[in-house]
């Protein structure tokens, strides 16, 4: 087996060919190569084969010297994994060889962006890892309500894309369309002068009108642009604005620019895509096959410039009768599909039984609307909710079957009198009216009735199936969950038609005990009471600075936030100016009934859904809200500094504690030292300050080594709540001198303060770190700046970042280098005089080739590598566009190799066959050689 040093020339010769194979396979698909076919060899592969004077067979032979199995792609990938190659890298290379790309629903090709294109957009290459089929769990048959497995609502919508739905890449567009770079316009002028021009909006947003000059067209609505251009042209053609008009003009859009967007999250093929400018979020999701079953249909996010610009609820399209206002996309937008949220099943007598995703605050009434409403045979007296108990509510008895069944009045829910909140994994069952007649109403058949806490109260015919109390209750579908089982009332007519009442223990009757499970006679009426009807009415109270103070009926699962909202006014920002938001009190009676406990809480946090917001209330609880004027003294203050998020001076309030001051400062910083807090307090009757040390760390396990954890800070705040502060106190929260768990990036080169910098927060941007480094020096060239991430160059234009565009979030370990301004362009390869040429602003490739003596006759291709690292092939033909060259760029001219003298020409079919054979080993050769020789 050769040594690694001996294999170095093997790698040097093989790498370009193997990389070319991967590029080719990603463009046309390896599966399209049919053994023995005579096809033209792709240019990139032919060029590298000629330049290295190597055949595919030789490349394959040298690859085997590295110990790679060339015949098994899966084994090649496995060998890469065994050598520590990241899975994401392996999958990305494998994806390059897969056949077929998705088609955009917008009428233009929806293609994943190339790495160069992604680099120009300043984003990471797309993650094209295939989803794991096992992650798409199928619903069990038990959820199907006896009719098979339930479907997840909405996902089948994306299986087929109707052609009529696709927006066209060509016009027409309405007058509100905003023109941008890449759009093609048609200008027509007739009258005294007559001319017609097709105009393309360039990257600077301008169009060039022959014989008239340049005009800025981008970022204007078509109607506005038409009026502005008419006014501009009237300077030369006054007939456009004369009365009567003698010259006429029309401006229309003939071709719409494509947009580059990124689709991320729970979709089958995340990554970068090119779509039509007329596309909206719904179109873009169609382009990638829609969200996966585990993805959300209710919270699709359109992220623009680092912020969520819009959250799209696809249920607006799928179930609402009105036409939603589609969310338009802009170039560079990110479309993110998060994990599906709270999911609830509904079965039974509804039009569309299925699983539905529910948003916060939506109830059973909303769920029924999503399910298409009730069927005509729906039983509206009650319905059932099967609820999964949270882990903390389960005990030994419920561990094996951690569900509970709840029953509610469906009529009350539909009328809005009862609100039933839903939890994740709830199963709602709407029952149907049983197919039975009422023989007592139709004839003289003997019957008995049952009512109260029964699933289906009513009158039932006595017979072979109904003879006793237990059989009657079972025929009525059993007892509801709130049935009072200790006693039920059986009313029976005696011989003189008077009513006789008999009490029955329901549990005994259901167990078949003879003294309770008595035989029924015609006319019997059984009433089962509910626990709620037997209990005294329970209430809670809210008082103080609210609009509607008073006593309210207590309801199960009622929380502090629920009662605050019932009090009124606290959702009004104007009204809140009169309310003390830092504190409110919950008064609760002690279990012995002899005393009352006061539980203070932060009112503002409770109103925002945090803090004590979800604390369950108990019957008899009272919340007191205080007016602002009772506590605030604008002439008094306290200060806080050190390891807190917002240091500064805050208004002093009566009964203020150290904890309150810390919370006003938005809590601790990550490097907080939780062993001790100091208070600097003015001396009474004398000048100067005295220092008070507060050892809050003693509550933290008495440990000498205090470290930052969520639990530690919670207990530290509890200790700080016991320490009052006074007017003019200054609270000092120290930073831990041993804390060093930070993420660093390195900035070198032409900046004022080169060195390592700790990232202040996750996702801190390149512009922010450059500013902390003192900015780029006058001698620096940010346009040629390089960013290295995970040992690989990350192609991005740092010059744009410095100019305030296309900022980039940094990661730990990133290395940024700002070089000096080169003031030159390098021309290499097959030219008359290779070398460096002085940079001239605005010049194109042809300009520098001319100064290098032009290309030689044997030239094969010309490549331009800009200072950012982005590389492009230049079309130097008659109709090719010669791109503008940036300072520090490299122009490389390759040459053709003469055919071998001892043979007539290459066997094209055999070369393609050999190249296809190389493909199976290309992945492992690339990644292994990278590890071996870097």
């Amino acid at each position: 087996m050769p040594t690694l040093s001996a294999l170095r020339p093997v790698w040097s010769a093989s790498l370009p060919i193997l990389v070319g194979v991967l590029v080719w396979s990603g463009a046309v698909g390896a599966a399209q190569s049919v053994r023995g076919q005579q096809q033209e060899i792709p240019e990139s592969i032919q060029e590298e084969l000629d330049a290295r004077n190597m055949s595919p067979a030789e490349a394959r032979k040298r690859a085997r010297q590295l110990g790679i199995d060339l015949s098994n792609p899966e084994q090649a990938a496995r060998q890469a994994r065994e050598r520590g190659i990241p899975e994401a890298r392996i999958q990305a290379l494998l994806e390059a060889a897969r056949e077929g790309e998705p088609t955009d629903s917008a009428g233009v090709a929806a293609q994943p962006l190339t790495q160069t294109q992604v680099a120009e957009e300043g984003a990471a290459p797309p993650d094209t890892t295939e989803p794991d089929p096992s992650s798409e769990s199928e619903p069990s048959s038990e959820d199907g309500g006896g009719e098979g497995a339930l479907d997840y609502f909405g996902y089948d919508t994306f299986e087929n894309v109707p052609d009529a739905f696709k927006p066209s890449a060509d016009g027409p567009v309405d007058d509100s369309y905003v023109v941008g770079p890449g759009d093609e316009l048609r200008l027509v002028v007739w009258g005294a002068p007559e001319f017609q021009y097709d105009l393309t909006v360039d990257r600077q947003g301008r169009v060039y009108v022959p014989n008239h000059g340049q005009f800025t067209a981008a970022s204007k609505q078509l109607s506005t642009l038409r009026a502005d251009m008419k006014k501009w042209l009237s300077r030369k053609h006054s007939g456009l604005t004369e009365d009567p008009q003698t010259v006429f003009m029309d401006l229309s859009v003939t071709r719409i620019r494509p947009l580059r967007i990124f689709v991320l999250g729970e979709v089958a093929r995340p990554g970068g895509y090119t779509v039509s400018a007329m596309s909206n979020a719904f179109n873009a999701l169609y382009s990638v096959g829609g969200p996966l079953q585990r993805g959300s249909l209710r919270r699709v996010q359109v992220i623009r410039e680092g912020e969520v610009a819009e959250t799209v609820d696809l249920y607006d399209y799928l179930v609402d009768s009105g036409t939603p206002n589609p969310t338009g996309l802009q170039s560079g937008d990110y479309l993110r599909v998060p994990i599906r949220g709270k999911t609830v099943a509904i079965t039974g007598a509804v039009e569309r039984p299925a699983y539905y995703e529910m948003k916060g605050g939506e109830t059973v009434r909303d769920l029924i609307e999503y399910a298409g409403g009730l069927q005509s045979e729906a039983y509206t007296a009650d319905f059932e909710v099967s609820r999964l108990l949270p882990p903390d509510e389960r005990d030994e008895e419920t561990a094996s079957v951690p569900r509970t069944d709840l029953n509610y009045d469906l009529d009350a829910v539909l009328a809005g009198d009862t609100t039933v909140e839903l939890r994740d994994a709830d199963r709602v069952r709407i029952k149907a009216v049983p197919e039975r007649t009422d023989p007592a109403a139709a004839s003289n058949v003997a019957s008995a009735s049952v009512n109260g806490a029964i699933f289906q109260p009513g009158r039932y015919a006595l017979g072979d199936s109904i003879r006793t109390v237990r059989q009657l209750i079972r025929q009525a579908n059993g007892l509801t969950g709130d049935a009072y089982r200790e006693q039920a009332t059986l009313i029976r007519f005696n011989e003189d038609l008077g009513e006789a009442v008999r009490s029955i223990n329901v549990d005994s009757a259901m167990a078949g005990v003879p003294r309770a499970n008595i035989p029924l006679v015609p006319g019997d009426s059984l009433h089962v009471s509910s626990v709620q009807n037997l209990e005294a009415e329970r209430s809670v109270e809210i008082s103080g600075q609210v609009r509607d103070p008073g006593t309210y009926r207590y309801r199960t699962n009622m929380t502090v936030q629920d009662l605050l909202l019932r009090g009124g006014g606290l959702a009004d920002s104007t009204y809140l100016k009169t309310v003390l938001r830092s504190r409110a009190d919950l008064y609760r009676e002690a279990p012995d009934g002899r005393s009352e406990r006061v539980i203070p809480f932060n009112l503002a946090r409770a109103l925002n859904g945090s803090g004590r917001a979800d604390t369950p209330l108990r019957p008899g609880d009272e919340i007191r809200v205080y007016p602002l004027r009772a506590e605030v003294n604008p002439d008094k203050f306290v200060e806080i500094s050190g390891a807190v998020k917002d240091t500064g001076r805050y208004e002093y309030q009566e009964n203020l504690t150290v904890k309150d001051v810390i919370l006003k400062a938005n809590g601790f910083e990550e490097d907080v030292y939780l062993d001790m807090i100091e208070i600097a307090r003015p001396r009474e009757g004398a000048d100067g300050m005295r220092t008070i040390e507060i050892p809050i760390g003693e509550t933290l396990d008495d440990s000498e080594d205090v470290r930052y954890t969520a639990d530690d800070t919670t207990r530290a705040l509890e200790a700080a709540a016991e320490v009052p502060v006074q007017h003019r106190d200054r609270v000092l929260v120290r930073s831990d001198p041993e804390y060093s768990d930070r993420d660093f990036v390195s900035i070198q080169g032409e900046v004022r303060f080169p060195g390592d910098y700790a990232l202040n927060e996750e996702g801190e941007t390149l512009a922010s770190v450059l500013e902390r480094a003192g900015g780029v020096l006058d001698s620096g060239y940010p346009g040629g700046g390089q960013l290295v991430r995970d040992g690989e160059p990350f192609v991005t234009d740092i010059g744009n970042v410095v100019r305030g565009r296309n900022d980039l979030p940094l990661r730990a370990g990133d290395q940024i280098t700002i070089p000096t301004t080169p003031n030159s362009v390098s021309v290499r390869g097959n030219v008359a005089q290779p070398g460096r040429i002085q940079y001239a602003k605005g010049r194109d490739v042809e300009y520098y080739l001319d100064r290098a003596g032009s290309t030689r006759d044997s030239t094969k291709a010309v490549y331009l590598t800009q200072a950012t690292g982005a590389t492009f092939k230049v079309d130097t033909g008659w109709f090719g566009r010669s791109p503008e060259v940036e300072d520090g760029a490299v122009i490389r001219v390759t040459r053709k190799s003469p055919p071998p003298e001892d043979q007539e020409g290459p066997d094209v079919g055999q070369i393609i066959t050999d190249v296809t054979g190389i493909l199976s080993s290309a992945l492992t050769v690339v990644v292994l050689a990278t590890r071996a020789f870097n």
Side-chain angles (χ1 to χ4, degrees), residues 172-231:
V173 297
D174 58 35
D175 286 349
S176 63
Y177 176 74
V178 178
V179 176
D183 284 338
E184 295 183 8
L185 311 176
R186 176 165 295 167
L187 173 65
V188 180
V189 176
W190 69 94
E194 291 188 2
F195 54 86
Q196 174 180 308
Y197 298 118
D198 288 332
L199 312 174
T200 300
V201 184
D202 63 19
R203 292 184 178 181
Q204 287 73 37
R206 299 170 299 187
V207 295
Y208 175 73
V209 181
N211 302 319
H212 293 78
Q214 290 185 336
F215 185 77
T216 300
S219 302
K220 296 181 180 180
Q221 291 187 349
L222 180 59
S223 58
T224 303
L225 176 60
R226 189 180 289 120
D228 291 348
M229 182 164 285
K230 180 178 180 180
K231 183 177 179 181

Side-chain angles (χ1 to χ4, degrees), residues 8 16 62 72 83 177 182 197 212 250 266 289 312 352 417 485 593 603 607 656 672 681 685 697 737 746 805 818:
R8 188 180 303 276
R62 295 180 183 181
N72 191 334
R83 289 163 173 79
Y177 176 74
Y197 298 118
H212 293 78
D250 182 53
E266 303 305 317
V312 181
R352 191 167 48 223
D417 298 332
R485 296 172 175 267
L603 178 62
L607 292 174
L656 201 67
V672 62
R681 179 169 294 169
S746 173
R805 301 194 300 269
I818 306 298

